[in-house]
Amino acid sequence: MDSDQLGIGFVDALRDDRFEVMRADALRSLLIVGVIAGALFLLLKKKLSENLVLVIAGVVILFDLVSFDMNYVNSDDYVTASEYDNAHRKTPADDIAMKDAQAGDHYRVYDLLLNPFNSGRAPYFHKSIGGYHGAKPRRIQELSEFYLFDDNGIAPIGRENIEILSMFNVRYVIDTEETGYVAKENPMAMGNAWFVDSLKTVSSDNEEITGLSELNGNQLAVIQQSQKELLDLTTTHADSTASIQLVDYDTQRLVYRSSNTQEALAVFSEMFYPYGWKATIDGSETPIARVNYTLRGIKVPAGSHEIVMSFEPQVVKTGSKIMLGSNIMLLLIILGGLFYTFKKDS
């Protein structure tokens, strides 16, 4: 059979399959319409009571929902509890990388046992960079391809990409050696946030991503001119006693305590996302800028402060208001119907 014949056969099989699906759905719909129509006909003939017709309609609706949903979620989509609990095998290296997190620290792990940006193994046990999802943040993808991959796949860890991993607060790198699985601690991990001592100001995304090759711990941050103007930032200075500590962690709320003798740019090891994240310093809202191509930056005045970042997307607020209004309208309609029925019966 040549390729043309194979193509025609495939199309014919696909057409037949879709016809069978359409026929089955049409028969199911016809059955549902027939049952409902029959119940209404018997109601008009006073052979059935209103309550019984409502019960029949409810059963038919439930049957329709369940039978349709079973096409997408059924017993084949579930696994046993033991399969779920052992979806990924934990190694001794994972135990080492988890010990600080169990003590309350917040950091990330870079797992080289599999492709760290196409595997769900590391996120199963750790806070990690990478992981698997069909839709990846564009800037993370670009940054990883630029610094963490080479022509042969995952790039070996060197001076440039260890700075990238460090700004993402990667404390442990899990890898294999002749002795087995190992968790290598990264002494350069920057922590959850830090003050920087100098700025490299650039004018484009290309300059920003290439400028990251000059990172040297907390000595430098790379920022575009537009983001610098957003913060009204002219200079930054971090003295030897400057510090920022993450004191409360939640997926939608992060609380930090900071101390610095001079005004400075604080860099936070969190993904910059302008659609919902807000920051306050001692209760007063302050803008968040994008620094180091992917991270968040805030101008922090001299002194000791409480910095709070919270996720409050406007779409959720708007949706909540619409839902509240809809629920109130539905309640009023129900109460009005009950009042009308009671008044009519009286």
Side-chain angles (χ1 to χ4, degrees), residues 29-45:
S29 299
L30 184 62
L31 174 63
I32 291 171
V33 171
V35 171
I36 295 294
L40 292 175
F41 176 77
L42 293 175
L43 174 65
L44 293 175
K45 293 294 184 179

Side-chain angles (χ1 to χ4, degrees), residues 128-156:
S128 67
I129 64 171
Y132 175 77
H133 195 281
K136 294 180 172 63
R138 179 174 60 86
R139 285 183 174 269
I140 288 289
Q141 184 73 14
E142 292 170 348
L143 192 65
S144 64
E145 291 175 353
F146 200 90
Y147 285 102
L148 302 178
F149 285 80
D150 59 20
D151 294 338
N152 299 317
I154 303 298

Side-chain angles (χ1 to χ4, degrees), residues 58-215:
V59 170
V60 170
I61 291 172
L62 183 62
F63 165 77
D64 182 34
L65 289 173
V66 172
S67 62
F68 184 81
D69 291 346
M70 287 291 286
N71 293 327
Y72 301 95
V73 180
N74 52 54
S75 58
D76 295 335
D77 298 302
Y78 292 89
V79 298
T80 64
S82 60
E83 289 176 313
Y84 178 83
D85 292 336
N86 296 282
H88 298 283
R89 185 167 62 89
K90 187 165 66 170
T91 69
D94 290 307
D95 289 325
I96 295 173
M98 292 169 65
K99 62 182 177 65
D100 295 342
Q102 292 169 344
D105 288 357
H106 298 281
Y107 55 89
R108 298 184 180 93
V109 172
Y110 188 53
D111 184 3
L112 294 176
L113 299 185
L114 297 170
N115 184 331
F117 292 92
N118 202 32
S119 167
R121 202 199 84 84
Y124 189 80
F125 298 110
H126 316 280
K127 293 184 178 73
S128 67
I129 64 171
Y132 175 77
H133 195 281
K136 294 180 172 63
R138 179 174 60 86
R139 285 183 174 269
I140 288 289
Q141 184 73 14
E142 292 170 348
L143 192 65
S144 64
E145 291 175 353
F146 200 90
Y147 285 102
L148 302 178
F149 285 80
D150 59 20
D151 294 338
N152 299 317
I154 303 298
I157 295 177
R159 192 196 72 80
E160 286 189 357
N161 57 19
I162 193 62
E163 291 286 353
I164 301 300
L165 295 176
S166 297
M167 80 175 192
F168 284 127
N169 194 22
V170 171
R171 186 180 296 183
Y172 289 97
V173 177
I174 296 179
D175 204 351
T176 55
E177 292 183 347
E178 292 182 359
T179 56
Y181 300 112
V182 294
K184 303 174 184 177
E185 187 168 1
N186 174 23
M188 298 172 61
M190 295 299 301
N192 303 110
W194 59 93
F195 287 111
V196 294
D197 203 45
S198 60
L199 299 173
K200 178 180 176 65
T201 306
V202 297
S203 58
S204 68
D205 286 347
N206 286 339
E207 291 180 1
E208 188 175 4
I209 196 170
T210 56
L212 297 180
S213 62
E214 301 178 30
L215 291 181

Side-chain angles (χ1 to χ4, degrees), residues 225-238:
Q225 180 64 35
S226 60
Q227 298 295 305
K228 188 176 178 181
E229 292 172 356
L230 174 67
L231 297 180
D232 190 23
L233 186 67
T234 55
T235 186
T236 181
H237 180 71

